[in-house]
Amino acid sequence: MLVLAIDTATPAITAGLVELTADAVRPRAARVTENARRHAELLMPGVLAACADAGAKLAEVDAVVTGVGPGPFTGLRVGMVTAAALGDALGVPVHGVGTLDAIAADVAAGEPLVVVTDARRREVYWAAYDGAGTLLDGPHVTAPAALVDRLPELGATAAAGPSAAATGLAVRSTAGPSPVGLVAVAAAALRAGAEPAPLEPLYLRRPDAVPPGQAKKVTTP
């Protein structure tokens, strides 16, 4: 099975093709560009470049996997909308997976782990995992200090993700999710041919943009 993987929940704009077999998740090609403000402009060129690198056509893709965050509102929705549009155009299923889960799958630390990414506004997104990569707590959005205060309770001994250094723990990786990590999280559902759940973004807080309020009435004397 040839799977297209996409994630735009972090400053890393990730696109890649992954070969999923009955017992393996094999990378075919990956394009990762670091740019926190150009997700919309760079994602599809990355998808097409990954296809060219893999010697495959988009029409050969059997499924799409996309990260659903948590992540900033604008960047996150670029990847999810693109994944949904490609799935519709190609007539293939689209599976959403947690971005932090994918980073944890990439690291495969074998030890209690927290995955931490930048949430802006002097906050971080984080989630805690056991040594097998199973989610224990989160995802949450908090100040870094609030996460550090919880580390003894969580029992984590290492950290991963672009903002891992904020924890003071041993850092296993500062990368965003890879195509292999994204597909690994969805592998069981893909192999089983399960119906994907509706794509639901993990914003964890309200977007900055809000509808304008009702205009004030102007009275005349």
Side-chain angles (χ1 to χ4, degrees):
M1 177 185 297
L2 187 62
V3 184
L4 171 65
I6 289 172
D7 188 274
T8 56
T10 75
I13 304 159
T14 299
L17 289 179
V18 175
E19 190 75 33
L20 180 67
T21 67
D23 57 2
V25 182
R26 298 192 180 98
R28 287 279 299 273
R31 287 294 181 111
V32 180
T33 305
E34 294 279 344
N35 194 312
R37 300 185 181 277
R38 297 188 62 200
H39 294 87
E41 295 92 340
L42 298 176
L43 179 56
M44 272 309 299
V47 168
L48 296 175
C51 288
D53 292 344
K57 299 178 181 179
L58 267 177
E60 298 174 48
V61 167
D62 298 302
V64 180
V65 172
T66 181
V68 298
F73 181 81
T74 301
L76 177 57
R77 67 180 178 176
V78 167
M80 295 185 66
V81 168
T82 300
L86 287 171
D88 185 62
L90 298 171
V92 299
V94 181
H95 291 261
V97 300
T99 297
L100 305 184
D101 298 345
I103 296 174
D106 279 324
V107 175
E111 59 188 322
L113 179 78
V114 288
V115 176
V116 193
T117 63
D118 183 17
R120 303 177 185 173
R121 303 185 196 171
R122 300 181 180 179
E123 292 181 320
V124 293
Y125 299 116
W126 66 269
Y129 301 83
D130 65 16
T134 302
L135 179 66
L136 298 177
D137 200 333
H140 303 288
V141 57
T142 65
L147 168 57
V148 171
D149 287 344
R150 289 203 58 190
L151 290 177
E153 166 197 341
L154 296 169
T157 57
S163 297
T167 65
L169 298 174
V171 175
R172 302 306 181 210
S173 169
T174 58
S178 75
V180 167
L182 292 161
V183 174
V185 177
L190 288 165
R191 290 182 177 120
E195 185 73 18
L199 292 178
E200 295 288 347
L202 290 172
Y203 296 130
L204 300 189
R205 63 186 178 203
R206 296 175 63 84
D208 291 330
V210 295
Q214 185 176 2
K216 293 182 179 179
K217 294 181 179 180
V218 177
T219 58
T220 56

